[in-house]
Amino acid sequence: EYIAVDDSFGESGKPADLMVKYGLSADDIVKAVQKVIKRK
């Protein structure tokens, strides 16, 4: 499972806000891990 930034222009802002915007927050990572676990 890949967790990465989509092909888009970067933006400036607070790191926590940018992590949420680009799907890199802790919650997003947990969801990706749960998705992988369900496949097994």
Side-chain angles (χ1 to χ4, degrees), residues 9-29:
F9 291 104
E11 295 183 32
S12 296
K14 294 180 182 178
D17 294 339
L18 294 172
M19 298 290 262
V20 171
K21 177 179 174 90
Y22 291 110
L24 299 172
S25 69
D27 289 336
D28 294 317
I29 294 169

Side-chain angles (χ1 to χ4, degrees), residues 13-14 34 37-38:
K14 294 180 182 178
Q34 289 172 336
I37 290 171
K38 285 182 182 178

